[in-house]
Structure formats: C-alpha cells, structure tokens
Amino acid sequence: MNDAAYASVDPPPRTVTDVDVAALGESMITFLPGRPGRLADVPSFHRAIGGAESNVACALAASGHTARWISRVGADGFGDHLVERIAGYGVDVTAVRRDPGRPTGVYFRTAGDRGTGAHEVAYYRAGSAASAMSVRNVDLTAARAARVLHLSGITAALSAECRELLYELTAPGPGRPLVSFDVNHRPGLWRDGEGADVLLELARRADIVFVGADEAAPAWGITGGPAAVRRLLPEPHVLVVKEGARGATAFTRDRPDATFRPALHTAVVATTGAGDAFAAGFLSATLRGLPVKTRLRYGHLFAAATLTTPGDLAAPPARDHADRLAALDDDAWGRLRLGPGWTQAEQAEEEANTP
C-alpha cells in the first residue's frame, strides 16, 4: 500500500501557533511495588506517573514532536509532581488547570503482569480533579490548536461532564484537527452499562482509531478478527486493530484491503502502557508522512520500549535508530530479539542479521 491511500488522513501542515499533537485526559500518580506479592503484603512502593493520553504526549515529545497535555489536577503535591514530570519530557503543560477542591488521582498496582490472575490494581480516582473536566473548564482552543488531537475512551468513563467534553471535541466542524481515538475499554470504570455504546459512537466520529481485538470482544461481542472489527467500524479513515504479540492490522476507508505487520519478539517486563506507546509510535510516523507499514512498525517499536520496562512510560528509541529498525526486511524484522535496555543499543539492527 502506498502513501497516496493515506493522503486524506494525513494531518494538516503545522502553523506557527500549533503543536503537532494535543492529548487530553487524566493522569495519575502510580505506585509501583518494591517487590512481587499481593498489595496487602507489599511493604513499599515507588512513585511514578501514568495516564493514557499523557503517556502518548510524553513519548511523542521524546521523539522530537511538539506535544501538549490538557487536563485538570489537584492543587496538591501529587498534582505538582505530575505537571513537573510531564513537562520534563518536553510536553507543553500550560493548558493544565489546578482544582483546589478535588484531588489528583492515584493508583497502586502489583508487580504481576495484567495477564495473570494475581494482578491487582487499586484506583483512588473517584471525585478526582480530572473527572470534573467539562466543556466549561477546559481550554478547548488549546485542544483544537494541534495537527492531531488524541483522546481515549477512559476519559468518557470518568463522568457525564467528561463524556460531554469528548462529544464536543469529536463533533464535525470547521477547524477540527485530525482526531485520534484509542478505545481503551475499561469495564470497571463504566457503572451505567452504557460504555460499549458510548465508545462505539466516539470511535465512529474519529479519524484514526486504535482498538485491541481483546477489547472488541467484551465491548461489542466482535470475535471474528480485525476484518470483523472493521465491518463494525467502517467510518474512521484509519482503523488499527491490535492483536497483542501477534501484531497489528491497519485498514483505511480509501482501500478495501488491509496492511498487517507482526509484532516484535520482546522480553516482556510489564504490559502496562504498551498500548499508549503503540499509539504514539503510529502517530509519530503519521505526522512524518511515512508509509503505513512503517507506521505499524513504529507502533511496535514504541510498544517494545515500554514492554521492556516496569513502568507505564518509557523513552522511545531515538528517531534514527527507529528508522533503521523499521526499514529492515521482513526476515530481519522477524529475527529481532529485544530486551531491557534495547533502546540504548545501537547495534540492535546488526543483531537482526545474526542467526
């Protein structure tokens, strides 16, 4: 598939006042355990940060793009830490508002991977500052002054006001940026039973949609693979269906066929944040106008950086390093074996040629 098929979904050229990507959503303080075990047994935790949309903004900024994070945090120490850490990645945080009446959200998780029954996550986000985001207290101009606006279904689940905000930002109209939407189905956040319908409507209003096959099944009852998801979601210009360790498939509204690219062989430390990293990689390559197979490979490379670290957020590979790896032929790509610290190893592409 060539770039011509993607002309209608390339983001508009950047102007003087725009950033490449604006990402709107809640970020929280993350407490990672000092050792494996139940939350009841772990004696100490390491403080980190986590948030689907800010993860995307940080990864893109670290990869050389201009990025803005839009949210609300409490007027507390945790809010200070979030804003300082995210700004430290080079992200514009001037549109983040402080709420003196509501706290910054926090959560704790075990060291076990999400795929195991022993994994625990304890959220303390009810009534958080971000859950009070609305069309009345968020800088909509800052959200729209970007080539791409990145959103996720998590925000829609936080409150009725947040849901109204996402409907406003995804509404068609003049000046709307290219809208990227990560479905991010979190059943535990939806208390009213409307989650599946809301996520489907928002996805149908977006230009680029990311969804895992493992999300489509519980949310919409779709079990027939990527093509079945596309039949449910024909509206987005680009639909990316992720299948975990197998790979990802991209569909476009301009062509009936699809592009599949396998994932990398990765020594997984933790899966948390890998989906956000994939979205950031795909968007990075999209902003650069790269071919679709490269966009998918960039997604896999950014995801591999996060999969090989314990936190929600990892620095992506340097752009020239990622370009060299993304340009490998299929056999060399399939031979890559990536483990912790691989983003610092310039010889990784040479190892691809070692049987």
Side-chain angles (χ1 to χ4, degrees):
M1 187 178 296
N2 57 44
D3 283 340
Y6 282 76
S8 63
V9 294
D10 283 338
R14 184 180 173 191
T15 68
V16 174
T17 57
D18 288 346
V19 292
D20 290 329
V21 175
L24 180 148
E26 179 173 37
S27 292
M28 295 179 289
I29 297 295
T30 307
F31 287 99
L32 305 174
R35 63 172 175 80
R38 300 186 309 153
L39 288 179
D41 301 328
V42 175
S44 62
F45 295 81
H46 169 71
R47 183 182 64 179
I49 64 172
E53 299 83 5
S54 62
N55 286 349
V56 171
C58 289
L60 285 166
S63 191
H65 301 282
T66 53
R68 173 184 296 130
W69 174 51
I70 303 164
S71 190
R72 290 176 68 84
V73 299
D76 50 33
F78 286 155
D80 293 341
H81 183 67
L82 272 176
V83 173
E84 291 167 6
R85 281 289 308 278
I86 293 170
Y89 280 86
V91 176
D92 175 6
V93 295
T94 56
V96 178
R97 301 290 179 256
R98 309 304 290 265
D99 190 327
R102 297 178 177 86
T104 303
V106 302
Y107 77 97
F108 297 76
R109 66 177 175 88
T110 55
D113 187 68
R114 272 183 176 165
T116 71
H119 183 72
E120 299 174 73
V121 180
Y123 289 102
Y124 299 90
R125 74 196 309 177
S128 69
S131 70
M133 287 190 295
S134 73
V135 294
R136 293 165 291 282
N137 61 25
V138 164
D139 189 340
L140 301 181
T141 300
R144 290 167 172 148
R147 298 173 66 195
V148 176
L149 172 61
H150 182 70
L151 308 167
S152 94
I154 294 174
T155 304
L158 297 180
S159 67
E161 292 78 12
C162 284
R163 193 177 309 178
E164 179 188 10
L165 174 62
L166 260 61
Y167 284 141
E168 171 67 23
L169 290 172
T170 57
R176 191 186 94 161
L178 195 72
V179 173
S180 165
F181 181 70
D182 193 334
V183 171
N184 262 329
H185 180 232
R186 300 287 187 269
L189 292 178
W190 293 95
R191 299 183 179 86
D192 54 14
E194 298 179 2
D197 291 339
V198 171
L199 294 174
L200 186 59
E201 182 176 358
L202 289 170
R204 286 173 169 166
R205 294 157 69 108
D207 301 298
I208 302 174
V209 172
F210 302 95
V211 62
D214 59 344
E215 296 175 295
W220 305 314
I222 302 299
T223 58
V229 179
R230 183 55 166 173
R231 287 193 292 272
L232 179 71
L233 282 170
E235 295 88 357
H237 287 286
V238 177
L239 171 68
V240 180
V241 182
K242 300 171 292 180
E243 296 182 273
R246 179 175 181 269
T249 301
F251 299 86
T252 75
R253 204 167 65 185
D254 307 89
R255 293 174 63 98
D257 55 348
T259 299
F260 171 80
R261 284 297 178 269
L264 290 154
H265 297 283
T266 306
V268 176
V269 174
T271 60
T272 308
D276 307 328
F278 182 96
F282 190 94
L283 292 176
S284 175
T286 299
L287 286 161
R288 295 172 62 197
L290 300 179
V292 63
K293 75 170 186 178
T294 307
R295 300 180 192 197
L296 289 169
R297 282 189 168 181
Y298 249 78
H300 290 316
L301 287 164
F302 277 44
T306 297
L307 287 167
T308 51
T309 58
D312 294 19
L313 182 60
R319 182 175 290 186
D320 59 347
H321 189 189
D323 282 345
R324 289 195 295 273
L325 294 178
L328 291 172
D329 62 42
D330 290 344
D331 287 342
W333 177 267
R335 289 195 299 271
L336 275 175
R337 299 294 187 272
L338 304 179
W342 75 268
T343 57
Q344 308 305 315
E346 292 295 328
Q347 70 272 25
E349 63 269 28
E350 297 175 4
E351 295 170 1
N353 297 314
T354 302

